[in-house]
Amino acid sequence: LRRSAKQVIDAQLMLRAAADASLDAVFLFKACRMAGARREVLDFTIADLNERAAQLLGRSSAELKGKRLLEVVPDLHTKGFVERFRHVLETRQPLQEEIEADFLPNRDVHWLHHQIVPITDGVAITVRDITSRKETELAMRKNQAELAAVNDASPLALMRADATGHRTYVNSTFELITG
């Protein structure tokens, strides 16, 4: 019995070390339910979080543990995130998405990828900063749009073909000339 208790403690310590060393922010939220028969989820309490998660919120983990989301980041309610957490908890269907984060104290973080999974009476959320990738993607899209606008405004008929000779792009002047 003592040996198995030590194994459990060792496994918990290893899991904690892995979470704290993770490149992702990890949050465990416990549902705060309304009293009564319906027991509707009103908010979530921060049950646990790793150091990267605390950094993301600009506080220490000791300051955050046990606090309700409404106290710590009220924008999670107003921007619909708590509703997403509630939906994942109730449907037991995980959710992952890329979001623009304009509500965090660290304004350097603009884009996040988060994954929300249901756990016992709560949700676990992993969050990764994807700002640099997203900014590169957006800059590339902007450049592509500008190039397309220049090509379409050109008085020259432009066409691009693949290795087999099939057209992959024509500008508006090409379409006008060839019909």
Side-chain angles (χ1 to χ4, degrees):
L1 186 61
R2 228 180 247 160
R3 182 176 167 201
S4 61
K6 183 181 177 350
Q7 288 175 330
V8 168
I9 290 169
D10 287 348
Q12 288 173 335
L13 290 172
M14 288 174 61
L15 187 58
R16 183 68 193 175
D20 283 336
S22 176
L23 299 176
D24 294 337
V26 180
F27 297 91
L28 299 179
F29 294 160
K30 182 168 176 30
C32 297
R33 297 182 178 276
M34 183 173 16
R38 287 191 52 216
R39 304 216 2 101
E40 183 181 342
V41 175
L42 301 174
D43 196 5
F44 288 87
T45 300
I46 300 173
D48 203 1
L49 69 164
N50 68 356
E51 287 307 313
R52 192 164 304 267
Q55 289 170 359
L56 191 64
L57 297 180
R59 300 196 191 164
S60 73
S61 57
E63 286 179 85
L64 294 165
K65 283 182 188 175
K67 295 272 194 307
R68 289 176 61 161
L69 294 181
L70 193 55
E71 298 172 60
V72 178
V73 190
D75 283 342
L76 290 177
H77 278 271
T78 59
K79 294 185 182 282
F81 290 100
V82 170
E83 185 53 42
R84 288 180 183 107
F85 305 158
R86 185 180 305 130
H87 181 75
V88 167
L89 176 59
E90 290 170 357
T91 64
R92 311 300 294 169
Q93 295 297 310
L95 171 69
Q96 62 178 337
E97 59 190 350
E98 293 180 356
I99 58 168
E100 190 169 10
D102 60 352
F103 52 85
L104 295 171
N106 177 359
R107 294 294 176 185
D108 292 340
V109 177
H110 301 289
W111 286 94
L112 303 172
H113 175 271
H114 69 188
Q115 180 176 315
I116 309 163
V117 296
I119 57 175
T120 306
D121 203 30
V123 292
I125 302 167
T126 55
V127 180
R128 177 167 287 184
D129 179 3
I130 59 167
T131 303
S132 62
R133 177 183 63 82
K134 197 68 172 180
E135 286 174 346
T136 301
E137 261 178 42
L138 293 172
M140 191 169 68
R141 280 191 203 144
K142 181 182 176 210
N143 288 342
Q144 288 172 336
E146 288 170 356
L147 181 60
V150 167
N151 286 345
D152 280 343
S154 173
L156 301 174
L158 302 174
M159 178 193 76
R160 182 176 54 235
D162 63 19
T164 63
H166 290 94
R167 285 188 296 245
T168 59
Y169 171 81
V170 296
N171 71 347
S172 55
T173 305
F174 184 94
E175 288 175 342
L176 228 116
I177 292 171
T178 61

